[in-house]
Amino acid sequence: MVTDLLYNPGPNTIHGISRLRGGGKIESQREPVRSRRAREMEVLRLPLSASQKGRLISAGYTSIASLSSISPSQLALELKISETEVLEILKTASDGSRLESTGSSRTIVHGAQSAWDMLQEEETLVRITTSCADLDYILGGGISCKEVTEIGGVPGIGKTQLGIQLAVNVQIPSDYGGLGGKAVYIDTEGSFMVERALQIAEACSDDMVEYSCLYRKGSQACEVKRQPKDFLENIFYFRVCSYTEQIALINYLEKFITEHKDVKVVIIDSVTFHFRQDFDDMALRTRLLSGMALKLMKLARNFGVAVVLLNQVTTKYSDGSFHLALALGDSWSHASTNRIILHWNGNERYAYIDKSPSLRSASAPYSVTAKGIRNSASNNKRIKHT
């Protein structure tokens, strides 16, 4: 289940390391030796409710260490509680582990992380489906959380359509293979269409009903609790009209997401609009963009959200000719982890992975339909959408 990996110790978690030598003695003498019984009853000291402590102990989870390798979905199944409640329990246990480890003689501080942990984390990143199987395939399952993904292309290629689709799809419940999250949509151009969002939400709800009828039996078959209006209620929309408003909002996002922990995707449409005009001091623009990029990367990493930056194109002169390139130049390309270029190939739309540390360069066709982003069909006509 995709929510298995929503919980990962943050980069600022402090891990105490102790080594055992012959006879089972602890190498460090600074940490006091605790009795086995005290170690086994660590969960009793955590700031959890009596019911939560009782469920953990009954299920055999008596120490903080016993919670370190269990997935949220598995723990939720064993404790018979929601995954949201499990995530809170695991976060509390992580905080308790950090406090326990501060007394050990050897610690890794300031976000240090082993290469093995990084590999494990990368292989288990949570992803948001695009509703296009071919596009999901080249993306390794969809748009990655904990990463910044830039999506650029010419007008009418479907950038905003894809942005709205992601804002809806992030809300697909976990038992349907989704994240069950919420979305922040930052509109700098006024291109967000609530009527279009409703259409895509209705199609998503219909898909869930179809899935339920095909794969579920009994009383739950063909019953879907989430209605189209529920999708719209979970999209937090911000309209910004200047670069100063945009920077102020991005500075505010950390507080906003802290207060709205279910947010799993932040979409900026488009990230460059206000920075392509009214700038005489290009050095100032570069500094502002660099600062904004760092904040967005930190936001993605610390909160486990997917940050999606929609970008415009401009003309660039090189090798004696003009060609299209994403706005803000080569220096801005470092602001994202992944870069996807949307383009026309004849009458068909294609997405191309231009840059990614973990995905190979590849292309996939897609189409923009009345239901939203879908697999490409050979009979699709070239209908432009912004």
Coordinates of all heavy atoms in Angstrom, one line a residue, residues 239-321:
R239 N -4.5 32.4 -4.9 CA -4.3 33.2 -6.1 C -3.3 34.3 -5.7 O -3.5 35.1 -4.8 CB -5.6 33.9 -6.6 CG -5.4 34.8 -7.8 CD -5.2 34.0 -9.0 NE -5.3 34.9 -10.2 CZ -4.3 35.4 -10.8 NH1 -3.0 35.2 -10.4 NH2 -4.4 36.2 -11.9
V240 N -2.1 34.3 -6.4 CA -1.1 35.4 -6.1 C -0.9 36.2 -7.4 O -0.9 35.7 -8.5 CB 0.2 34.7 -5.7 CG1 0.1 34.0 -4.4 CG2 0.8 33.8 -6.8
C241 N -0.8 37.5 -7.2 CA -0.7 38.5 -8.3 C 0.6 39.2 -8.4 O 0.7 40.1 -9.3 CB -1.9 39.5 -8.1 SG -3.5 38.7 -8.0
S242 N 1.6 38.9 -7.7 CA 2.9 39.5 -7.8 C 4.0 38.5 -7.3 O 3.7 37.6 -6.5 CB 3.0 40.8 -7.1 OG 2.9 40.6 -5.7
Y243 N 5.2 38.8 -7.6 CA 6.3 38.0 -7.1 C 6.5 38.1 -5.6 O 6.9 37.2 -5.0 CB 7.6 38.2 -7.9 CG 8.3 39.5 -7.5 CD1 9.3 39.4 -6.4 CD2 8.1 40.7 -8.1 CE1 10.0 40.6 -6.1 CE2 8.8 41.8 -7.8 CZ 9.7 41.8 -6.7 OH 10.4 42.9 -6.4
T244 N 6.2 39.3 -5.1 CA 6.3 39.4 -3.6 C 5.2 38.6 -2.9 O 5.5 38.0 -1.9 CB 6.1 40.9 -3.3 OG1 4.9 41.4 -3.8 CG2 7.3 41.8 -3.8
E245 N 4.0 38.6 -3.5 CA 3.0 37.7 -2.9 C 3.4 36.2 -3.0 O 3.2 35.4 -2.1 CB 1.6 37.9 -3.6 CG 0.9 39.2 -3.3 CD -0.4 39.3 -3.9 OE1 -0.9 38.2 -4.4 OE2 -1.0 40.4 -3.9
Q246 N 4.0 35.9 -4.1 CA 4.4 34.5 -4.3 C 5.5 34.1 -3.3 O 5.4 33.0 -2.7 CB 4.9 34.3 -5.7 CG 5.3 32.9 -6.1 CD 5.7 32.7 -7.5 OE1 5.2 33.4 -8.4 NE2 6.5 31.8 -7.9
I247 N 6.4 34.9 -3.1 CA 7.5 34.6 -2.1 C 6.9 34.5 -0.7 O 7.3 33.7 0.1 CB 8.6 35.6 -2.2 CG1 9.4 35.5 -3.6 CG2 9.6 35.5 -1.1 CD1 10.4 36.6 -3.8
A248 N 6.0 35.5 -0.4 CA 5.4 35.5 1.0 C 4.6 34.2 1.2 O 4.7 33.6 2.3 CB 4.6 36.7 1.1
L249 N 3.9 33.8 0.2 CA 3.1 32.6 0.3 C 4.0 31.3 0.5 O 3.7 30.5 1.3 CB 2.2 32.4 -0.9 CG 1.4 31.1 -0.9 CD1 0.5 31.0 0.3 CD2 0.5 31.1 -2.2
I250 N 5.1 31.2 -0.2 CA 6.0 30.1 -0.1 C 6.6 30.1 1.3 O 6.8 29.0 1.9 CB 7.0 30.1 -1.3 CG1 6.3 29.8 -2.6 CG2 8.2 29.1 -1.0 CD1 7.2 29.9 -3.8
N251 N 6.9 31.3 1.8 CA 7.5 31.3 3.2 C 6.4 30.9 4.2 O 6.8 30.3 5.2 CB 7.9 32.8 3.5 CG 9.2 33.2 2.7 OD1 10.0 32.3 2.4 ND2 9.3 34.4 2.5
Y252 N 5.2 31.1 3.9 CA 4.1 30.7 4.8 C 3.7 29.2 4.7 O 3.1 28.7 5.6 CB 2.8 31.6 4.4 CG 1.5 31.1 5.1 CD1 1.4 31.3 6.5 CD2 0.5 30.6 4.3 CE1 0.2 30.9 7.1 CE2 -0.7 30.2 4.9 CZ -0.9 30.4 6.3 OH -2.0 30.0 6.9
L253 N 4.1 28.5 3.6 CA 3.7 27.2 3.4 C 4.1 26.2 4.5 O 3.3 25.3 4.8 CB 4.2 26.6 2.0 CG 3.5 27.1 0.8 CD1 4.1 26.5 -0.4 CD2 2.0 26.7 0.9
E254 N 5.3 26.4 5.1 CA 5.7 25.5 6.1 C 4.7 25.5 7.3 O 4.4 24.5 7.8 CB 7.1 25.9 6.6 CG 7.7 25.0 7.7 CD 9.1 25.3 8.0 OE1 9.7 26.2 7.4 OE2 9.6 24.7 8.9
K255 N 4.3 26.7 7.7 CA 3.3 26.8 8.8 C 2.0 26.2 8.4 O 1.3 25.5 9.1 CB 3.1 28.3 9.2 CG 2.2 28.5 10.3 CD 2.1 30.0 10.7 CE 1.2 30.3 11.9 NZ -0.2 29.9 11.7
F256 N 1.6 26.5 7.1 CA 0.3 26.0 6.7 C 0.3 24.5 6.6 O -0.7 23.9 7.1 CB 0.0 26.5 5.2 CG -1.3 26.1 4.7 CD1 -2.5 26.9 5.0 CD2 -1.5 25.0 3.9 CE1 -3.7 26.5 4.5 CE2 -2.7 24.6 3.4 CZ -3.8 25.4 3.7
I257 N 1.3 23.8 6.1 CA 1.3 22.4 6.0 C 1.5 21.8 7.4 O 1.0 20.7 7.7 CB 2.5 21.9 5.1 CG1 2.2 22.4 3.7 CG2 2.6 20.4 5.1 CD1 3.2 22.1 2.7
T258 N 2.2 22.5 8.3 CA 2.2 22.0 9.7 C 0.8 21.9 10.3 O 0.5 21.0 11.1 CB 3.1 22.9 10.6 OG1 4.4 22.9 10.0 CG2 3.2 22.4 12.0
E259 N 0.0 22.9 10.0 CA -1.4 22.9 10.5 C -2.3 22.0 9.7 O -3.4 21.7 10.2 CB -1.9 24.3 10.5 CG -1.1 25.3 11.4 CD -1.5 26.7 11.2 OE1 -2.3 27.0 10.2 OE2 -1.1 27.6 12.0
H260 N -1.9 21.7 8.5 CA -2.8 20.8 7.6 C -1.9 19.6 7.2 O -1.4 19.6 6.0 CB -3.3 21.6 6.4 CG -4.1 22.7 6.7 ND1 -3.6 24.0 7.1 CD2 -5.5 22.9 6.8 CE1 -4.6 24.8 7.3 NE2 -5.7 24.2 7.2
K261 N -1.7 18.7 8.1 CA -0.8 17.6 7.9 C -1.2 16.6 6.7 O -0.3 15.8 6.3 CB -0.6 16.8 9.2 CG -0.1 17.6 10.3 CD 0.1 16.8 11.5 CE 0.6 17.6 12.7 NZ 1.8 18.3 12.5
D262 N -2.4 16.7 6.3 CA -2.8 15.8 5.2 C -2.4 16.3 3.8 O -2.6 15.6 2.8 CB -4.3 15.7 5.2 CG -4.8 14.9 6.4 OD1 -4.0 14.1 6.9 OD2 -6.0 15.0 6.8
V263 N -1.8 17.5 3.7 CA -1.4 18.0 2.4 C -0.2 17.2 1.9 O 0.8 17.0 2.6 CB -1.0 19.5 2.5 CG1 -0.3 20.0 1.2 CG2 -2.2 20.4 2.8
K264 N -0.4 16.6 0.7 CA 0.7 15.8 0.1 C 1.2 16.3 -1.2 O 2.1 15.7 -1.8 CB 0.1 14.3 0.0 CG -0.1 13.7 1.3 CD 1.1 13.6 2.1 CE 0.8 13.1 3.5 NZ 2.0 13.2 4.4
V265 N 0.6 17.3 -1.8 CA 1.1 17.9 -3.0 C 1.0 19.4 -3.0 O -0.1 19.9 -2.5 CB 0.5 17.3 -4.2 CG1 -1.0 17.6 -4.3 CG2 1.2 17.7 -5.5
V266 N 2.0 20.1 -3.5 CA 1.9 21.6 -3.7 C 2.2 21.8 -5.1 O 3.2 21.4 -5.7 CB 3.0 22.3 -2.8 CG1 3.0 23.8 -3.1 CG2 2.7 22.1 -1.3
I267 N 1.2 22.5 -5.8 CA 1.3 22.8 -7.2 C 1.4 24.3 -7.4 O 0.6 25.0 -6.9 CB 0.1 22.2 -8.0 CG1 0.1 20.7 -7.8 CG2 0.2 22.5 -9.5 CD1 -1.3 20.1 -7.9
I268 N 2.4 24.7 -8.2 CA 2.6 26.2 -8.5 C 2.4 26.3 -10.0 O 3.2 25.8 -10.8 CB 3.9 26.7 -8.0 CG1 4.1 26.4 -6.5 CG2 4.0 28.2 -8.3 CD1 5.4 26.9 -6.0
D269 N 1.4 27.1 -10.4 CA 1.0 27.2 -11.8 C 0.9 28.7 -12.2 O -0.1 29.3 -11.9 CB -0.3 26.5 -12.1 CG -0.8 26.6 -13.5 OD1 0.0 26.9 -14.4 OD2 -2.0 26.3 -13.7
S270 N 1.9 29.3 -12.8 CA 3.2 28.7 -13.1 C 4.2 29.4 -12.1 O 4.0 30.5 -11.7 CB 3.6 28.9 -14.5 OG 3.9 30.3 -14.8
V271 N 5.3 28.7 -11.9 CA 6.3 29.2 -11.0 C 7.1 30.4 -11.5 O 7.6 31.2 -10.7 CB 7.3 28.1 -10.6 CG1 8.2 27.7 -11.8 CG2 8.1 28.4 -9.4
T272 N 7.1 30.6 -12.8 CA 8.0 31.7 -13.4 C 7.2 32.9 -13.9 O 7.8 33.9 -14.2 CB 8.7 31.1 -14.6 OG1 7.7 30.6 -15.6 CG2 9.6 30.0 -14.2
F273 N 5.9 32.9 -13.9 CA 5.1 33.9 -14.5 C 5.5 35.3 -14.0 O 5.7 36.3 -14.8 CB 3.6 33.7 -14.3 CG 2.7 34.7 -14.9 CD1 2.5 34.8 -16.2 CD2 2.1 35.7 -14.1 CE1 1.7 35.7 -16.8 CE2 1.2 36.6 -14.6 CZ 1.0 36.6 -16.0
H274 N 5.6 35.5 -12.7 CA 5.8 36.8 -12.1 C 7.3 37.2 -12.2 O 7.6 38.4 -11.9 CB 5.3 36.9 -10.7 CG 3.8 36.9 -10.6 ND1 3.0 37.7 -11.2 CD2 3.0 36.0 -9.9 CE1 1.7 37.4 -11.0 NE2 1.7 36.4 -10.1
F275 N 8.2 36.3 -12.5 CA 9.6 36.6 -12.5 C 10.1 36.8 -14.0 O 11.3 37.1 -14.2 CB 10.4 35.4 -11.9 CG 10.2 35.3 -10.4 CD1 9.2 34.5 -9.9 CD2 11.0 35.9 -9.6 CE1 9.0 34.4 -8.6 CE2 10.8 35.8 -8.2 CZ 9.8 35.0 -7.7
R276 N 9.2 36.8 -14.9 CA 9.6 37.1 -16.3 C 9.3 38.5 -16.7 O 9.5 38.9 -17.9 CB 8.9 36.1 -17.2 CG 9.2 34.7 -17.0 CD 8.6 33.8 -18.0 NE 9.0 34.0 -19.4 CZ 8.5 33.5 -20.5 NH1 7.4 32.7 -20.4 NH2 9.0 33.8 -21.7
Q277 N 8.8 39.3 -15.8 CA 8.5 40.7 -16.1 C 8.8 41.6 -14.9 O 8.9 41.2 -13.8 CB 7.0 40.8 -16.5 CG 6.1 40.2 -15.5 CD 4.7 40.0 -16.0 OE1 4.3 40.5 -17.0 NE2 3.9 39.2 -15.2
D278 N 9.0 42.9 -15.3 CA 9.2 43.9 -14.2 C 10.4 43.7 -13.4 O 10.5 44.0 -12.2 CB 8.0 44.0 -13.3 CG 6.7 44.4 -14.1 OD1 6.8 45.1 -15.1 OD2 5.6 43.9 -13.7
F279 N 11.5 43.1 -14.0 CA 12.7 42.9 -13.3 C 13.9 43.6 -14.0 O 14.3 43.1 -15.0 CB 13.0 41.4 -13.1 CG 12.6 40.9 -11.7 CD1 11.4 40.2 -11.6 CD2 13.4 41.1 -10.6 CE1 11.1 39.7 -10.3 CE2 13.1 40.6 -9.4 CZ 11.9 39.9 -9.2
D280 N 14.3 44.7 -13.5 CA 15.5 45.3 -14.0 C 16.8 44.8 -13.4 O 17.8 44.7 -14.1 CB 15.4 46.9 -13.8 CG 14.2 47.5 -14.5 OD1 13.9 47.0 -15.6 OD2 13.6 48.4 -14.0
D281 N 16.7 44.4 -12.2 CA 17.9 43.9 -11.5 C 17.9 42.4 -11.6 O 17.2 41.7 -10.8 CB 17.8 44.3 -10.0 CG 19.1 44.0 -9.2 OD1 19.9 43.2 -9.7 OD2 19.3 44.6 -8.1
M282 N 18.6 41.9 -12.5 CA 18.6 40.4 -12.8 C 19.3 39.7 -11.6 O 19.0 38.5 -11.3 CB 19.2 40.1 -14.1 CG 18.5 40.7 -15.3 SD 16.8 40.4 -15.3 CE 16.8 38.6 -15.7
A283 N 20.3 40.3 -11.0 CA 21.0 39.7 -9.9 C 20.0 39.5 -8.7 O 20.0 38.4 -8.0 CB 22.1 40.5 -9.4
L284 N 19.1 40.5 -8.5 CA 18.1 40.3 -7.5 C 17.1 39.2 -7.8 O 16.8 38.4 -6.9 CB 17.3 41.6 -7.3 CG 16.1 41.6 -6.4 CD1 16.5 41.2 -5.0 CD2 15.3 42.9 -6.5
R285 N 16.7 39.1 -9.1 CA 15.8 38.0 -9.5 C 16.5 36.6 -9.2 O 15.8 35.7 -8.7 CB 15.5 38.2 -11.0 CG 14.4 37.2 -11.4 CD 14.1 37.3 -12.9 NE 15.1 36.5 -13.7 CZ 14.8 36.1 -14.9 NH1 13.7 36.4 -15.5 NH2 15.7 35.3 -15.6
T286 N 17.7 36.5 -9.5 CA 18.5 35.3 -9.3 C 18.5 34.9 -7.9 O 18.2 33.7 -7.5 CB 19.9 35.3 -9.9 OG1 19.8 35.6 -11.3 CG2 20.6 34.0 -9.7
R287 N 18.7 35.9 -7.0 CA 18.8 35.6 -5.6 C 17.4 35.2 -5.0 O 17.3 34.2 -4.2 CB 19.3 36.8 -4.8 CG 20.8 37.1 -5.0 CD 21.3 38.1 -3.9 NE 20.6 39.3 -3.9 CZ 20.9 40.4 -4.7 NH1 22.0 40.3 -5.5 NH2 20.3 41.5 -4.7
L288 N 16.3 35.9 -5.5 CA 15.0 35.5 -5.1 C 14.6 34.1 -5.5 O 14.0 33.3 -4.8 CB 14.0 36.6 -5.6 CG 14.1 38.0 -5.0 CD1 13.1 38.9 -5.7 CD2 13.8 38.0 -3.5
L289 N 14.9 33.8 -6.8 CA 14.6 32.5 -7.3 C 15.4 31.4 -6.6 O 14.8 30.3 -6.3 CB 14.9 32.4 -8.8 CG 13.9 33.2 -9.7 CD1 14.4 33.2 -11.1 CD2 12.5 32.5 -9.7
S290 N 16.6 31.6 -6.3 CA 17.4 30.6 -5.6 C 16.9 30.4 -4.2 O 16.8 29.2 -3.7 CB 18.9 31.1 -5.5 OG 19.4 31.2 -6.8
G291 N 16.5 31.5 -3.5 CA 15.9 31.3 -2.2 C 14.6 30.6 -2.2 O 14.4 29.7 -1.3
M292 N 13.8 30.9 -3.2 CA 12.5 30.2 -3.3 C 12.7 28.7 -3.6 O 12.0 27.9 -3.0 CB 11.7 30.8 -4.4 CG 10.3 30.3 -4.6 SD 9.3 31.2 -5.8 CE 10.2 30.8 -7.3
A293 N 13.7 28.4 -4.5 CA 13.9 27.0 -4.8 C 14.4 26.2 -3.6 O 14.0 25.1 -3.4 CB 15.0 26.9 -5.9
L294 N 15.2 26.8 -2.8 CA 15.7 26.1 -1.6 C 14.6 25.8 -0.6 O 14.5 24.8 0.0 CB 16.8 26.9 -0.9 CG 18.2 27.0 -1.7 CD1 19.1 28.0 -1.0 CD2 18.8 25.6 -1.7
K295 N 13.7 26.8 -0.5 CA 12.6 26.6 0.4 C 11.7 25.5 0.0 O 11.1 24.7 0.8 CB 11.8 27.9 0.6 CG 12.5 29.0 1.4 CD 11.7 30.2 1.5 CE 12.4 31.3 2.3 NZ 12.8 30.9 3.7
L296 N 11.4 25.4 -1.3 CA 10.6 24.4 -1.9 C 11.2 23.0 -1.7 O 10.5 22.0 -1.4 CB 10.3 24.7 -3.4 CG 9.4 25.9 -3.6 CD1 9.3 26.2 -5.1 CD2 8.0 25.7 -3.1
M297 N 12.5 22.9 -2.0 CA 13.2 21.6 -1.8 C 13.1 21.2 -0.3 O 12.9 20.0 0.0 CB 14.6 21.7 -2.3 CG 14.8 21.7 -3.8 SD 16.5 21.6 -4.3 CE 16.8 23.3 -4.7
K298 N 13.3 22.1 0.6 CA 13.3 21.8 2.0 C 11.8 21.4 2.4 O 11.7 20.5 3.2 CB 13.7 23.0 2.8 CG 13.7 22.8 4.3 CD 14.2 24.0 5.1 CE 14.1 23.8 6.6 NZ 14.5 25.1 7.3
L299 N 10.9 22.1 1.8 CA 9.5 21.7 2.1 C 9.1 20.3 1.7 O 8.5 19.6 2.4 CB 8.6 22.7 1.4 CG 7.1 22.8 1.8 CD1 7.0 23.5 3.1 CD2 6.3 23.5 0.7
A300 N 9.6 20.0 0.5 CA 9.3 18.6 0.0 C 10.0 17.6 0.8 O 9.4 16.5 1.2 CB 9.8 18.5 -1.5
R301 N 11.2 17.8 1.2 CA 12.0 16.8 2.0 C 11.4 16.7 3.4 O 11.2 15.6 3.9 CB 13.4 17.3 2.1 CG 14.3 16.4 2.9 CD 14.5 15.0 2.2 NE 15.3 14.1 2.9 CZ 15.6 12.9 2.6 NH1 15.1 12.4 1.4 NH2 16.3 12.1 3.3
N302 N 11.2 17.8 4.1 CA 10.8 17.7 5.5 C 9.4 17.3 5.7 O 9.1 16.6 6.8 CB 11.0 19.1 6.2 CG 12.4 19.5 6.3 OD1 13.3 18.7 6.1 ND2 12.7 20.7 6.7
F303 N 8.5 17.6 4.8 CA 7.1 17.2 5.0 C 6.6 16.0 4.1 O 5.5 15.6 4.2 CB 6.2 18.4 4.7 CG 6.3 19.5 5.8 CD1 7.2 20.6 5.6 CD2 5.6 19.4 6.9 CE1 7.3 21.6 6.5 CE2 5.7 20.4 7.9 CZ 6.6 21.5 7.7
G304 N 7.5 15.5 3.3 CA 7.2 14.4 2.5 C 6.1 14.7 1.4 O 5.3 13.8 1.0
V305 N 6.1 15.9 0.9 CA 5.1 16.3 -0.1 C 5.7 16.3 -1.4 O 6.9 16.5 -1.6 CB 4.5 17.7 0.2 CG1 3.8 17.7 1.6 CG2 5.5 18.8 0.1
A306 N 4.9 16.2 -2.4 CA 5.4 16.4 -3.8 C 5.2 17.8 -4.2 O 4.1 18.4 -4.0 CB 4.6 15.5 -4.8
V307 N 6.3 18.5 -4.6 CA 6.2 19.9 -5.1 C 6.2 19.8 -6.6 O 7.2 19.3 -7.2 CB 7.3 20.7 -4.5 CG1 7.3 22.1 -5.1 CG2 7.2 20.8 -3.0
V308 N 5.2 20.3 -7.3 CA 5.1 20.3 -8.7 C 5.1 21.8 -9.2 O 4.3 22.6 -8.9 CB 3.8 19.6 -9.2 CG1 3.7 19.6 -10.7 CG2 3.8 18.2 -8.7
L309 N 6.1 22.1 -10.0 CA 6.3 23.4 -10.6 C 6.0 23.4 -12.1 O 6.7 22.8 -12.9 CB 7.8 23.9 -10.4 CG 8.4 23.8 -9.0 CD1 9.8 24.2 -9.0 CD2 7.5 24.5 -8.0
L310 N 4.9 24.1 -12.4 CA 4.6 24.2 -13.9 C 5.3 25.4 -14.4 O 5.3 26.5 -13.8 CB 3.1 24.4 -14.0 CG 2.2 23.2 -13.4 CD1 0.7 23.4 -13.7 CD2 2.7 21.9 -13.9
N311 N 5.9 25.2 -15.6 CA 6.8 26.3 -16.2 C 6.4 26.6 -17.6 O 5.9 25.7 -18.3 CB 8.2 25.8 -16.1 CG 9.2 27.0 -16.3 OD1 8.8 28.1 -16.5 ND2 10.5 26.7 -16.2
Q312 N 6.7 27.8 -18.0 CA 6.4 28.2 -19.4 C 7.7 28.0 -20.2 O 8.7 27.6 -19.7 CB 6.0 29.7 -19.4 CG 4.8 30.0 -18.5 CD 4.6 31.5 -18.4 OE1 5.6 32.3 -18.4 NE2 3.4 32.0 -18.1
V313 N 7.5 28.2 -21.5 CA 8.7 28.1 -22.4 C 9.0 29.5 -23.0 O 8.2 30.4 -23.0 CB 8.4 27.1 -23.6 CG1 8.2 25.7 -23.0 CG2 7.2 27.5 -24.4
T314 N 10.2 29.6 -23.5 CA 10.7 30.8 -24.2 C 11.6 30.4 -25.3 O 11.9 29.2 -25.5 CB 11.4 31.7 -23.2 OG1 11.8 32.9 -23.8 CG2 12.7 31.0 -22.7
T315 N 12.0 31.3 -26.1 CA 12.9 31.0 -27.2 C 14.3 31.3 -26.8 O 14.6 32.2 -26.1 CB 12.6 31.9 -28.5 OG1 12.6 33.3 -28.1 CG2 11.2 31.5 -29.0
K316 N 15.2 30.4 -27.2 CA 16.6 30.5 -26.9 C 17.5 30.4 -28.1 O 17.2 29.5 -29.0 CB 17.0 29.4 -25.9 CG 18.4 29.4 -25.4 CD 18.7 28.3 -24.5 CE 20.1 28.3 -24.0 NZ 20.4 27.1 -23.0
Y317 N 18.4 31.3 -28.3 CA 19.3 31.3 -29.5 C 20.6 30.5 -29.2 O 21.3 30.8 -28.2 CB 19.6 32.7 -29.9 CG 20.4 32.8 -31.1 CD1 19.8 32.7 -32.4 CD2 21.8 33.0 -31.1 CE1 20.6 32.7 -33.6 CE2 22.6 33.0 -32.3 CZ 21.9 32.9 -33.5 OH 22.7 33.0 -34.6
S318 N 20.9 29.5 -29.9 CA 22.1 28.8 -29.8 C 22.4 28.0 -31.1 O 21.5 27.6 -31.8 CB 22.1 27.8 -28.6 OG 21.1 26.8 -28.9
D319 N 23.7 27.9 -31.4 CA 24.2 27.2 -32.6 C 23.5 27.8 -33.9 O 23.2 27.1 -34.8 CB 23.8 25.7 -32.5 CG 24.5 25.0 -31.3 OD1 25.6 25.4 -31.0 OD2 23.9 24.0 -30.8
G320 N 23.4 29.1 -33.9 CA 22.9 29.8 -35.0 C 21.5 29.7 -35.3 O 21.0 30.1 -36.4
S321 N 20.7 29.3 -34.3 CA 19.2 29.2 -34.6 C 18.5 29.3 -33.3 O 19.0 29.2 -32.2 CB 18.8 27.9 -35.2 OG 19.2 26.8 -34.4

